[in-house]
Amino acid sequence: MVGTFDGGCACAAVRYRLMSEPMFVHCCHCRDCQRQTGSAFVLNALIETDRISVLSGHPDAVAVPTDSGHPHDIHRCPDCRIALWSDYGRRPKLRFVRVGTLDDPAAFAPDVHIFTRSKLPWVRLPDGVPAFEEYYDSKSLWPAQSLERRRAILA
Ligand SMILES: [Zn+2]
Ligand SMILES: [Zn+2]
């Protein structure tokens, strides 16, 4: 699969382009994500930072408290404050892009549902997509090519 995927914030000060498909897509039902989005879950596309081309604007990083205590910086448009992507664990080469900020938010469907222990009761998970009460073992779930991409940036 090849192609690029454009997105941006609400006021259009920040526009970005994903230069490839992501490595993997999380649908996270944890309490942190529910609070941060004001919704039932978040959709995060995991991709290398250098595959995000920022076409305009300068997102700033806002550190947020987490239940786990691990660092989490949310990168937001400086004007409208929409969240574009996250840096979990201060790993500068890895970004978690908010799928809902893509011009075509249907471009990527979740590859896994995580932290379903706090999933809202009315959310029905689809058959055939792996789901976990907490986190999961990416080595057993990610395609080999994605694992290779991750190794290249986190080595
Ligand atoms: Zn904006
Ligand atoms: Zn979460």
Side-chain angles (χ1 to χ4, degrees):
M1 189 166 129
V2 289
T4 60
F5 306 88
D6 287 8
C9 65
C11 78
V14 176
R15 293 289 300 164
Y16 69 85
R17 177 168 297 152
L18 305 185
M19 302 310 293
S20 79
E21 77 280 12
M23 295 180 273
F24 215 66
V25 178
H26 287 172
C27 182
C28 185
H29 302 261
C30 82
R31 291 289 298 126
D32 281 341
C33 290
Q34 290 169 343
R35 278 188 211 101
Q36 289 155 12
T37 60
S39 186
F41 50 75
V42 76
L43 284 177
N44 280 327
L46 282 68
I47 193 166
E48 299 91 331
T49 304
D50 66 7
R51 293 194 188 196
I52 304 173
S53 172
V54 177
L55 306 172
S56 66
H58 301 278
D60 26 83
V62 179
V64 292
T66 59
D67 285 342
S68 68
H70 295 304
H72 176 199
D73 297 330
I74 300 180
H75 293 236
R76 295 179 176 277
C77 169
D79 297 328
C80 72
R81 311 308 294 170
I82 293 292
L84 298 155
W85 47 78
S86 283
D87 174 0
Y88 287 95
R90 304 251 157 86
R91 293 176 290 185
K93 294 180 177 175
L94 177 63
R95 292 288 178 260
F96 290 60
V97 175
R98 298 287 188 276
V99 174
T101 66
L102 290 168
D103 295 344
D104 176 14
F108 311 125
D111 294 308
V112 66
H113 290 267
I114 57 176
F115 289 99
T116 60
R117 68 183 178 192
S118 47
K119 178 180 78 60
L120 297 189
W122 50 264
V123 174
R124 306 262 300 270
L125 299 183
D127 291 334
V129 180
F132 298 90
E133 287 270 296
E134 297 185 29
Y135 210 65
Y136 70 104
D137 177 22
S138 50
K139 286 189 187 64
S140 63
L141 218 55
W142 284 33
Q145 197 185 9
S146 294
L147 285 170
E148 188 49 50
R149 284 169 62 183
R150 194 180 61 172
R151 256 192 303 274
I153 55 165
L154 297 183

